[in-house]
Amino acid sequence: MRDLFPARPPFHDASELRRLYLDAKPFPHLVIEGFLPDSLLASVLEEFPPFDPGFAISENGIAEGKMNRTDLPGLGESFRALDQLFGSAEFISFVEEITQIRGLIFDPSYYGGGIHCSVAGQELDPHLDFNLHPIEEKLLRRVNVLLYLNPGWDPERGGDLELYADPRDSDPGRMKRIAPLANRLVIFETNERSWHGHDRIKTLASDAPRRSVAVYYYTDVRDLPSPPAPHQTIYADRPLI
């Protein structure tokens, strides 16, 4: 791990980050700036594949403006380093300390996650994530980790991550916006109240796509007194303003 993060402090020093996470509104989350060292960030940006329509087909077979690739280790040396990082015992322990969720399990298949690359016109409606892993059904989804990779992102382009207390409430005081700036890491628990999405990406002169890496962590559902009823991703209409 120190080879990946030669200038970073140990991950176990998480007490202040845990407080920020637990106190955050509209539900617990944490934003970490400058997550990757500059050298690794530069390599990831260089190796990030361009938008490929062949990887932008929805689960309903419809072409859309969001590319999703789950073959992280196969994308290059820097992505193999990211895969090793996010699956490491040290990073998982760090996330457990922040979220206070023990027994987190990394998903090496990146089902639904991996790299996301969205072009102008794309948006993501408010939603709750699927709860049980569609293949490994004993796994209950608990934590999302999002790494944004957009240097020089123009805030006028939109594409902000949005966290909602109520997805149908237009009151900005009950919603948190997080711009997808380069090297910004966001951690939040995914549960039955963690409504989130992102607003529409606008077309401007700097028309770079919105790029990110999404990693999901699970716990063993068999450790719970009673298993939850499984559900797929639940979407809500955006509030009428």
Side-chain angles (χ1 to χ4, degrees):
M1 188 64 60
R2 290 179 181 176
D3 292 336
L4 295 179
F5 290 88
R8 290 294 185 264
F11 278 131
H12 64 260
D13 186 16
S15 57
E16 177 61 16
L17 296 180
R18 178 170 62 249
R19 184 190 67 78
L20 293 173
Y21 171 87
L22 294 174
D23 289 346
K25 305 297 181 184
F27 53 81
H29 66 275
L30 178 67
V31 179
I32 299 176
E33 308 291 358
F35 179 67
L36 299 179
D38 292 342
S39 57
L40 181 54
L41 175 64
S43 296
V44 169
L45 293 173
E46 183 177 352
E47 290 184 345
F48 200 103
F51 183 85
D52 183 344
F55 289 97
I57 306 299
S58 74
E59 58 189 14
N60 298 319
I62 300 173
E64 59 180 11
K66 177 183 177 181
M67 180 181 79
N68 179 200
R69 292 187 60 171
T70 58
D71 54 335
L72 228 70
L75 295 176
E77 183 177 354
S78 64
F79 281 97
R80 285 193 294 274
L82 284 185
D83 176 66
Q84 293 170 16
L85 163 65
F86 289 127
S88 69
E90 190 174 6
F91 183 76
I92 292 171
S93 177
F94 171 71
V95 176
E96 288 178 338
E97 284 298 317
I98 289 171
T99 64
Q100 295 295 285
I101 301 173
R102 304 299 177 182
L104 290 178
I105 300 168
F106 167 68
D107 176 22
S109 76
Y110 294 96
Y111 186 93
I115 67 165
H116 292 161
C117 180
S118 299
V119 297
Q122 186 70 21
E123 64 183 326
L124 183 59
D125 285 337
H127 65 281
L128 298 175
D129 294 318
F130 65 84
N131 59 353
L132 295 183
H133 195 291
I135 300 172
E136 299 291 338
E137 295 182 352
K138 68 178 184 297
L139 298 181
L140 176 66
R141 187 166 165 184
R142 301 297 302 277
V143 177
N144 289 357
V145 172
L146 308 177
L147 173 63
Y148 291 106
L149 299 167
N150 304 293
W153 185 261
D154 186 338
E156 295 299 319
R157 294 204 65 204
D160 288 349
L161 173 66
E162 298 175 330
L163 308 179
Y164 312 90
D166 180 344
R168 297 178 178 86
D169 189 344
S170 60
D171 181 356
R174 305 194 70 205
M175 181 178 72
K176 174 74 172 288
R177 291 183 180 273
I178 302 172
L181 304 183
N183 216 9
R184 173 174 280 177
L185 190 83
V186 181
I187 300 172
F188 64 91
E189 181 177 357
T190 178
N191 53 34
E192 302 308 302
R193 67 183 186 91
S194 57
W195 290 95
H196 60 284
H198 73 72
D199 63 346
R200 184 179 296 273
I201 303 168
K202 302 178 181 66
T203 301
L204 295 179
S206 55
D207 203 20
R210 179 186 189 270
R211 301 183 294 181
S212 62
V213 176
V215 188
Y216 308 142
Y217 295 87
Y218 297 77
T219 56
D220 194 324
V221 72
R222 296 171 296 184
D223 294 337
L224 299 176
S226 58
H231 65 74
Q232 296 300 314
T233 304
I234 300 171
Y235 290 94
D237 294 331
R238 290 187 175 275
L240 298 176
I241 300 176

